[in-house]
Amino acid sequence: MLVSVVIPALNEEQRIGMCLASLATQKTEHQFEVIVVDNGSTDGTIKAAELFKDKLQLTVIREAKKGRGSARCSGFRIAKGEIFLSTDADAILPANWIEDFVRAIQKGYVAATSTATINDCPPLMRAFLNFMCWFLPYTNRMLYGTVGLMGASCGVTKEAYFAAGEFDPESDGFEDLDLAKRVRQHGKIIFVRSVSPIVSGRRFSRGLLRGSAEYVRIYWNKIILKKRR
């Protein structure tokens, strides 16, 4: 079975190599393709990604419309796999990431997600952010009856993804939770506890409040207000 891994990337020259290297060392019995979606980078992101063409079944495409929703959407539209996985360009994936996600979904679920681990922030901030990475999927369960999807580590069957209406290409944040709300109408989502990619906390480099403000704004507009309409 073919699995597709989609990675949106914007100015990730310094980090995408580590992400792709972690995919090149996956321990899985499944064939997989990797699709990097360059979202308008002005650095050497594409060149850094293409260094892995001899190590991965790799495709690099460009998406001019800015936003994680549009980038993931473009990658998923050309994906050839029966199961779609998605991560972020700054993620370092454990070697069992693909195998454990596929195994979980094949138990009868339409989608799967896991937490992620931040290890490059000050200790107290790191502890708080890692708690939130674990807690947010369960907050989604309280609000909508199912765990949410975390874009840095999630997967969905091709059938359920298109039946749910794809990622919102107008969204540049919480496109994963928005998709989860629609995917859950087609089956159950499982939380995979055995994997936790390492991701960067650089978005909070100016402080927790400043780093959180944009996420709160997007969550309110895209998730809460959209729910009320």
Side-chain angles (χ1 to χ4, degrees):
M1 181 182 66
L2 179 65
V3 177
S4 299
V5 181
V6 176
I7 308 170
L10 174 61
N11 293 331
E12 295 285 3
E13 177 183 5
Q14 300 300 318
R15 297 176 184 270
I16 196 166
M18 293 183 289
C19 178
L20 295 176
S22 68
L23 282 167
T25 56
Q26 289 290 298
K27 297 178 180 178
T28 178
E29 63 181 24
H30 302 289
Q31 181 184 1
F32 65 95
E33 64 171 350
V34 178
I35 301 168
V36 172
V37 185
D38 180 73
N39 204 200
S41 298
T42 56
D43 65 358
T45 294
I46 292 178
K47 185 177 294 186
E50 289 180 339
L51 292 175
F52 286 83
K53 280 197 169 181
D54 61 340
K55 300 175 183 177
L56 294 165
Q57 185 177 329
L58 178 67
T59 302
V60 179
I61 65 172
R62 292 175 172 84
E63 172 51 54
K65 181 178 177 60
K66 291 292 181 67
R68 281 168 285 183
S70 60
R72 291 193 207 277
C73 193
S74 292
F76 277 44
R77 283 180 179 176
I78 70 163
K80 300 174 183 176
E82 296 176 43
I83 292 178
F84 298 161
L85 303 183
S86 191
T87 188
D88 291 337
D90 65 350
I92 300 175
L93 305 163
N96 57 325
W97 185 71
I98 290 176
E99 187 67 22
D100 285 15
F101 261 78
V102 173
R103 184 183 296 118
I105 291 172
Q106 287 182 328
K107 290 179 179 178
Y109 295 88
V110 298
T113 195
S114 79
T115 187
T117 302
I118 294 171
N119 66 356
D120 59 354
C121 290
L124 288 178
M125 183 185 295
R126 182 171 69 240
F128 175 78
L129 292 174
N130 285 331
F131 170 77
M132 293 305 295
C133 284
W134 174 86
F135 182 69
L136 282 176
Y138 288 99
T139 301
N140 206 66
R141 173 179 282 176
M142 290 185 284
L143 290 173
Y144 308 112
T146 185
V147 294
L149 296 175
M150 180 178 288
S153 184
C154 67
V156 61
T157 65
K158 178 179 181 177
E159 182 179 3
Y161 175 75
F162 286 111
E166 306 182 82
F167 281 110
D168 179 3
E170 301 301 320
S171 182
D172 188 22
F174 294 109
E175 74 286 347
D176 40 12
L177 292 184
D178 175 66
L179 179 66
K181 288 166 53 182
R182 292 178 278 114
V183 164
R184 73 184 180 94
Q185 298 173 18
H186 301 275
K188 294 182 178 180
I189 302 173
I190 185 173
F191 191 88
V192 182
R193 293 179 174 84
S194 59
V195 293
S196 182
I198 297 172
V199 298
S200 172
R202 63 183 183 221
R203 295 171 183 84
F204 300 91
S205 61
R206 295 186 300 164
L208 185 60
L209 291 178
R210 285 188 177 183
S212 301
E214 183 65 8
Y215 285 98
V216 171
R217 183 190 68 79
I218 296 172
Y219 187 86
W220 181 260
N221 290 334
K222 291 292 184 179
I223 305 297
I224 301 299
L225 293 184
K226 199 171 184 178
K227 178 186 177 185
R228 293 177 179 175
R229 289 172 186 165

